[in-house]
Amino acid sequence: NNALQLLRQRHVNNDQRGNYIVKSKYNIEEKANPTQYDPSLPKARVTKQGTVFYLHDKAVIKDDGNRFHLASNANQEVLTTALIHAKQRHGYQLSAQGNELFQENVVRASVKAGLNISFDQDHMDRRRVQLSAEMYLFGDGALRNITQQQSRGMRQ
C-alpha cells in the first residue's frame, strides 16, 4: 500500500475524461487528500502510475487513487461497489462525472442500495430525492438500471 502511495504521488493523474465517481468539490469535512483506502477487490493490474484495475462481476473498476472510473453501461452491482468504496475513501459527499446514462444509473444504484450519499450536481441530488420517494412508494423494483435505449426517452 505504501508503494502504491509513492507511485501515485509521483504521477498525479488529472485525466477527467470518461465516467467516474470522485469526491465532491464542496466536501469540507475532510482534508484535501483522500483517505488512504484500498478496496478489498481482486486486483487485475497495477500501472507504473499507481492506477489499479479491480475486477468485479466481470467488469473493471479503474482506481487512480482519487477517482473510480467505470464503463457507462456498468451494472448496478458494480456501480454500488464503486459508490461504497468512494464513500469510504471520500465521505458521503460525492460527484459523478460522465454521460447522462452513467449519472442516472449512479443515482439509481445509490438509492437502491440505501447509501447515505449526496451528489454535488443539483440535478443528480434532486433525482436522488425523487427516486427515494418512488422507492418508498413503489418498492425497489422501479430502480433497475436503465439501458442506452431507454435513456433516449429521457432527453426531451
Side-chain angles (χ1 to χ4, degrees), residues 30 33-37 65 88-90:
E30 294 183 27
N33 292 329
T35 303
Q36 292 309 317
Y37 169 76
Q88 288 173 322
R89 178 177 288 163
H90 299 299

Side-chain angles (χ1 to χ4, degrees), residues 66-133:
N66 209 14
R67 292 175 287 275
F68 290 94
H69 295 260
L70 298 120
S72 63
N73 62 348
N75 71 31
Q76 208 151 37
E77 187 180 335
V78 173
L79 290 171
T80 301
T81 300
L83 283 164
I84 289 168
H85 293 304
K87 182 180 178 187
Q88 288 173 322
R89 178 177 288 163
H90 299 299
Y92 71 93
Q93 292 176 295
L94 299 173
S95 176
Q97 301 295 324
N99 65 39
E100 185 181 9
L101 174 66
F102 176 74
Q103 289 183 343
E104 173 69 14
N105 285 333
V106 164
V107 174
R108 286 171 177 263
S110 73
V111 171
K112 184 166 185 175
L115 300 176
N116 182 21
I117 289 175
S118 67
F119 297 99
D120 66 0
Q121 299 98 321
D122 287 341
H123 72 282
M124 287 184 70
D125 219 47
R126 282 193 305 272
R127 185 70 175 140
R128 180 184 60 80
V129 171
Q130 178 188 7
L131 287 172
S132 295

